[in-house]
Amino acid sequence: MKLTILGSGTSIIKKDRLAPGYLLELNSGESFLFDCGATAAQQFANINFDYSKLDHILISHPHPDHIGGLISLLHGIFLESMYLKYLGKEARGKILFLHGYPGFAKDFNILLKIMAPELLDGSLDFFPIKVIEQRNQKVKYSSFTLITKVVSHVDKYFKSIAFRLEADRKVFVYSGDSRYCEQLIELSKDADLVLSESSS
């Protein structure tokens, strides 16, 4: 298991603190992007990681510093796939899993309609995307287990989600933004690494 910090900042723009984005790579070769701030996509080029090979993107909540780069990243994967197909080369075909907070599916479709409506046009044969709204659940995949819990952030406006990924005999927990809550403590028990924003 390998973690690369693409950015660890907030919505306050700073030269040395880029927007949140955390790349986790498993020994199996599967890759996970936890949150996707506006600068996350560019950071992939800086670390020489082929973002078009991402397997999972996990969005904790809809504040712009955590979701602001998502459509740009997907649009980049789409364009790259389109050009590769045009050149007669193999384009991305595997499913991209998008895991999000309760209400994420509706928000995601609104963003697509505004920013990249061509991604909704089935005639373009875009690679398949599976959107999964997470709540308090545990799902076992072939090479990892994903456990999620709704955590407290700005509950008046939306639900936030925290993720616990168990793989490679390690446990990684990511919360995005969260105030103190018992759910996060429970999710973090016996973890090897807990990554939690503490901007305030």
Side-chain angles (χ1 to χ4, degrees), residues 39-83:
T39 52
Q42 184 60 43
Q43 282 293 85
F44 282 122
N46 293 335
I47 65 169
N48 295 314
F49 180 86
D50 186 353
Y51 63 87
S52 70
K53 300 291 196 296
L54 275 170
D55 296 292
H56 301 265
I57 300 175
L58 305 93
I59 303 295
S60 63
H61 67 286
H63 271 150
D65 52 327
H66 292 263
I67 199 174
L70 178 61
I71 304 303
S72 294
L73 178 62
L74 294 178
H75 199 247
I77 297 173
F78 162 70
L79 289 175
E80 185 171 299
S81 298
M82 187 175 69
Y83 288 131

Side-chain angles (χ1 to χ4, degrees), residues 138-158:
K138 177 178 181 178
V139 181
K140 290 188 176 183
Y141 293 81
S142 58
S143 60
F144 67 93
T145 297
L146 184 64
I147 303 170
T148 55
K149 287 198 177 293
V150 174
V151 294
S152 181
H153 180 25
V154 284
D155 303 344
K156 177 181 177 181
Y157 302 106
F158 52 72

